[in-house]
Amino acid sequence: MAATASSNTDYFASRPSPRSRPSLAPTSPRTPLLGRSISGQFGSPGGSYLREQEEVLVWELHQRYISVGIAGENRPRGVLRFGYGVNDGRRVGDWRGVDRDAGVGLDEVNEKWGREHELFRADVTDLDLGLVEDVLERAVRTLHVDYLQLDAKPRKVVLAVSSLLPLPVLEVTLKVLFGHYSQPPVVTLMPTPLLACVGAGLRNALVVEIGWEETVMTAIGEYKTVAERRSVRGGKMLVQNTSALLRDTLKSTTNPKTLIPLKFAEDVAQRTAHCPTDPNAPSSPDSSFTITIPSTTDAPVQKVTLPFSSLATPATRTFFPPSTSYNDTNDLPLSTLIFLILLALPSDLRAQCMARIVLTGSSSNIPGLRTRLLRELDQLIRDRGWDHVHSYGSAKSPLPLRLRERIAGEEGKGAPAYRPPAQPAEPPLRTLETPAARSDTTATAIDSAANDFSSPRASIDPATSLAARIDRRLATQSKNDVRGVVRGVETLGAWAGGSLFASLAKSNASIRGVAEITREEWEKKGVDGCDLRGL
């Protein structure tokens, strides 16, 4: 029976069909196959996501260094200083350090002193643009490879340059950036004073940028340059005065032929330079300070000992020179130049800029410089006031406007000319009122005018009068709106301002730079076809 049962069993019927596979549990999760469209649930991200992930590179070009980073970050990823790796990559026939024409071992009064530590100069007459292009191209390639470590994807570029940058240098810089293997589609140019204003979170400010070769004072109103003044008193003059101080001290002690290199003089200026906040304060006895000066030859090192207070002489001589009768713009102190640029502004913008003085630049962190600059500016405003005329001669004080117009009309009719009185009145004392006191005075004047029955506004209800409400709103200042006082404001710097600007422009297409140059325009017209009026 067992054999019969086994012989009647259908073997092929018990086997599974080769077309039907056993259902096995999946080893990994799978997307369910639904009959309806799932593009709304599982679709790819849209264009807004790609726009947010787009990276913008922020470059800052300076005479002494170049920095780069990604927009949205608080500091650059890489900073490369020119000239401090002069011995790197030397080849046969490179006599730097031996040849005196290379700038090593020269006196600070020589024009070639420290020239190897700067990429370009304001005077491009004898500038080798081919060498500038090669050095800049190597710096850009080094920063891309060693610091950014990005792929060759095209990325937009925001380039922060100093105002009134020489056009040949700007052309070489754009040529290097557009010729790089990343091939940026757009390069946005922004001046560093404007970016320093953005980095301080302000719309109106007076930016004092103490750079390497010059100091630029720029008045900015609603993110536009309104007025500008320049002076050659900058970081280079400070280093030259520091080198002259050390050389004169050595001349009076041991070796009169010792030459101070720029690298060492700049290091001494960065470490020891300071500015006394009150020059009229009595000097207190201070301790001596010893500086070891290295030698460029095989001679032994030398030491110079001088009082610490004498190290404030280079900064004082550079930024606050004594006034003379034949002052030029480059001979004036920085506080006087700031006063002159404030005097040239309209009254409403002047009240805002004098309360928002932004001090930036490579040489702006000298101890005591900011305090003395603001203190002397405040004293200068109290002494002179906002009067364009420095001296009225025998009149001693200005005449009222109506009296001057009447005198001019009578003189035209043949009347005798005006004669000033023998003992003129004393000029009124000009003081700086606080914003709270000035707003209270203005509000009181408005209330008295509204309550006066002889005034034209007396017939109008002040509660419903639009003019009265506007006057009250203008007279009452907000707590954050500080005007009419001398005040300094901190800034994060030009690069941080460029990073903030690039991140905002990336999310809002209506925010545009001062000058935007596309790759197509550059290949067709070059720098001649670019609109650079805002720089």
Side-chain angles (χ1 to χ4, degrees), residues 176-230:
V176 171
L177 291 179
F178 280 117
H180 193 257
Y181 66 87
S182 61
Q183 297 183 354
V186 179
V187 174
T188 303
L189 300 179
M190 294 292 291
T192 51
L194 179 58
L195 293 181
C197 181
V198 174
L202 303 173
R203 301 174 65 93
N204 308 306
L206 177 61
V207 180
V208 182
E209 184 179 6
I210 305 178
W212 169 248
E213 194 173 4
E214 60 183 359
T215 298
V216 183
M217 281 148 283
T218 309
I220 297 177
E222 295 298 330
Y223 297 126
K224 293 183 180 180
T225 301
V226 180
E228 188 177 76
R229 281 183 176 268
R230 295 172 174 271

Side-chain angles (χ1 to χ4, degrees), residues 64-81:
R64 302 290 309 281
Y65 64 87
I66 182 172
S67 59
V68 66
I70 299 178
E73 298 180 350
N74 58 352
R75 64 182 63 183
R77 292 195 175 186
V79 179
L80 185 62
R81 303 186 68 183

Side-chain angles (χ1 to χ4, degrees), residues 9-17:
T9 304
D10 189 358
Y11 177 75
F12 294 97
S14 62
R15 293 184 59 187
S17 174

Side-chain angles (χ1 to χ4, degrees), residues 335-406:
S335 56
T336 306
L337 288 178
I338 295 176
F339 173 76
L340 292 179
I341 195 173
L342 287 174
L343 191 62
L345 296 178
S347 58
D348 53 348
L349 183 59
R350 178 198 305 159
Q352 296 187 16
C353 287
M354 67 182 296
R356 296 163 179 84
I357 299 177
V358 178
L359 194 64
T360 182
S362 56
S363 303
S364 61
N365 295 324
I366 298 177
L369 177 60
R370 185 189 306 269
T371 304
R372 180 172 178 179
L373 189 65
L374 298 179
R375 180 176 297 178
E376 289 194 1
L377 177 61
D378 191 5
Q379 185 64 34
L380 192 61
I381 294 174
R382 292 178 182 274
D383 294 340
R384 291 189 53 179
W386 301 115
D387 197 349
H388 291 270
V389 181
H390 187 272
S391 175
Y392 286 91
S394 59
K396 299 298 182 181
S397 61
L399 297 175
L401 179 60
R402 293 183 178 179
L403 182 57
R404 280 181 287 175
E405 293 177 353
R406 185 182 304 174

Side-chain angles (χ1 to χ4, degrees), residues 54-76:
E54 182 183 6
E55 295 176 340
V56 180
L57 301 183
V58 181
W59 291 85
E60 182 184 2
L61 180 63
H62 194 264
Q63 290 179 317
R64 302 290 309 281
Y65 64 87
I66 182 172
S67 59
V68 66
I70 299 178
E73 298 180 350
N74 58 352
R75 64 182 63 183

Side-chain angles (χ1 to χ4, degrees), residues 229-529:
R229 281 183 176 268
R230 295 172 174 271
S231 176
V232 296
R233 301 188 174 276
K236 187 174 184 179
M237 183 178 291
L238 175 63
V239 176
Q240 289 176 349
N241 291 333
T242 304
S243 176
L245 175 65
L246 297 178
R247 183 172 53 85
D248 294 342
T249 307
L250 284 175
K251 186 183 297 184
S252 60
T253 55
T254 55
N255 190 2
K257 297 183 179 181
T258 303
L259 299 176
I260 310 297
L262 181 138
K263 185 176 181 180
F264 179 76
E266 185 180 16
D267 183 67
V268 173
Q270 291 178 352
R271 292 173 180 267
T272 62
H274 62 280
C275 187
T277 57
D278 189 4
N280 299 325
S283 59
S284 58
D286 53 356
S287 59
S288 59
F289 195 81
T290 303
I291 299 177
T292 303
I293 301 178
S295 178
T296 56
T297 60
D298 296 336
V301 296
Q302 300 181 7
K303 295 183 178 181
V304 54
T305 302
L306 67 168
F308 185 76
S309 58
S310 63
L311 295 175
T313 305
T316 305
R317 186 183 303 173
T318 301
F319 303 113
F320 304 97
S323 60
T324 58
S325 58
Y326 49 93
N327 282 330
D328 191 10
T329 303
N330 295 325
D331 299 330
L332 294 175
L334 296 186
S335 56
T336 306
L337 288 178
I338 295 176
F339 173 76
L340 292 179
I341 195 173
L342 287 174
L343 191 62
L345 296 178
S347 58
D348 53 348
L349 183 59
R350 178 198 305 159
Q352 296 187 16
C353 287
M354 67 182 296
R356 296 163 179 84
I357 299 177
V358 178
L359 194 64
T360 182
S362 56
S363 303
S364 61
N365 295 324
I366 298 177
L369 177 60
R370 185 189 306 269
T371 304
R372 180 172 178 179
L373 189 65
L374 298 179
R375 180 176 297 178
E376 289 194 1
L377 177 61
D378 191 5
Q379 185 64 34
L380 192 61
I381 294 174
R382 292 178 182 274
D383 294 340
R384 291 189 53 179
W386 301 115
D387 197 349
H388 291 270
V389 181
H390 187 272
S391 175
Y392 286 91
S394 59
K396 299 298 182 181
S397 61
L399 297 175
L401 179 60
R402 293 183 178 179
L403 182 57
R404 280 181 287 175
E405 293 177 353
R406 185 182 304 174
I407 291 173
E410 294 295 333
E411 289 179 356
K413 297 179 181 179
Y418 167 74
R419 300 297 181 184
Q423 295 181 356
E426 293 293 333
L429 181 61
R430 301 180 178 93
T431 59
L432 292 176
E433 298 179 358
T434 60
R438 184 167 54 256
S439 61
D440 295 341
T441 306
T442 309
T444 306
I446 294 174
D447 294 337
S448 61
N451 297 328
D452 188 7
F453 295 98
S454 61
S455 62
R457 291 187 181 180
S459 59
I460 305 176
D461 187 10
T464 59
S465 174
L466 179 60
R469 284 184 292 174
I470 292 177
D471 291 344
R472 290 179 181 274
R473 182 174 299 180
L474 294 177
T476 305
Q477 299 182 4
S478 61
K479 297 181 179 180
N480 299 327
D481 189 11
V482 182
R483 300 183 182 183
V485 294
V486 177
R487 187 187 65 163
V489 179
E490 296 286 343
T491 180
L492 298 178
W495 192 94
S499 176
L500 178 60
F501 162 78
S503 59
L504 293 176
K506 182 174 58 176
S507 59
N508 190 356
S510 62
I511 301 178
R512 302 180 62 88
V514 174
E516 293 187 356
I517 304 173
T518 61
R519 186 176 184 82
E520 291 77 9
E521 294 178 355
W522 173 261
E523 293 177 352
K524 292 179 181 179
K525 304 177 182 180
V527 72
D528 297 332

Side-chain angles (χ1 to χ4, degrees), residues 86-97:
V86 293
N87 294 327
D88 298 340
R90 295 183 62 177
R91 300 181 181 179
V92 178
D94 191 352
W95 299 103
R96 286 177 295 179

